[in-house]
Amino acid sequence: MIPLRNVSETITCPVCRLSFLPVGRQRVCSAACRQVAWRRRHAAPVPGIPLRTPRVKTIYECSSCETRYLGEQRCPDCGTFCRKLGPGGPCPHCDEPVLLADLLTGMESSAAATKEVRH
């Protein structure tokens, strides 16, 4: 009779890399290694790194009432679709939507003014 399996063969534990004689369908050497293998197979996903910088959203402006909205494409007062102005975010002082381009032009003009004062 031909044996279906090499029962007297030792195998290597995939967790601790020790050789052992398996009993039945045993694949790991001990209960501790079985628990480690199960935890590796069922590991929880690693949470992502939270962004500490504020997210930039799109600023929209209503063509009829000229109100700016942060991320809202439709004016709730007029019911019309707004036009896209560009990327921006809430103002840290007044919480109104501010365009990124407006902030950059403000920085350029203040830098130019300081250059004129120095000369």
Side-chain angles (χ1 to χ4, degrees):
M1 187 160 169
I2 301 172
L4 298 175
R5 182 179 157 114
N6 296 332
V7 178
S8 62
E9 296 283 327
T10 60
I11 63 172
T12 304
C13 177
V15 177
C16 65
R17 302 288 181 203
L18 294 176
S19 295
F20 70 98
L21 184 63
V23 177
R25 296 186 300 169
Q26 184 178 1
R27 296 285 175 232
V28 291
C29 64
S30 65
C33 286
R34 184 178 66 237
Q35 187 175 24
V36 169
W38 188 90
R39 286 182 178 165
R40 285 180 184 171
R41 286 191 313 267
H42 296 89
V46 178
I49 298 172
L51 298 175
R52 296 188 188 268
T53 58
R55 296 196 64 164
V56 176
K57 293 186 178 180
T58 305
I59 303 288
Y60 295 94
E61 184 178 55
C62 179
S63 57
S64 57
C65 66
E66 297 182 359
T67 307
R68 290 186 176 184
Y69 297 103
L70 181 63
E72 293 182 37
Q73 295 182 1
R74 192 174 185 121
C75 180
D77 299 329
C78 305
T80 59
F81 283 101
C82 302
R83 64 185 175 113
K84 181 178 176 180
L85 296 179
C91 175
H93 302 290
C94 63
D95 207 36
E96 290 291 320
V98 178
L99 278 172
L100 195 59
D102 292 344
L103 294 175
L104 294 176
T105 56
M107 287 181 175
E108 290 172 358
S109 63
S110 64
T114 56
K115 285 181 183 178
E116 289 176 8
V117 171
R118 289 183 187 170
H119 292 298

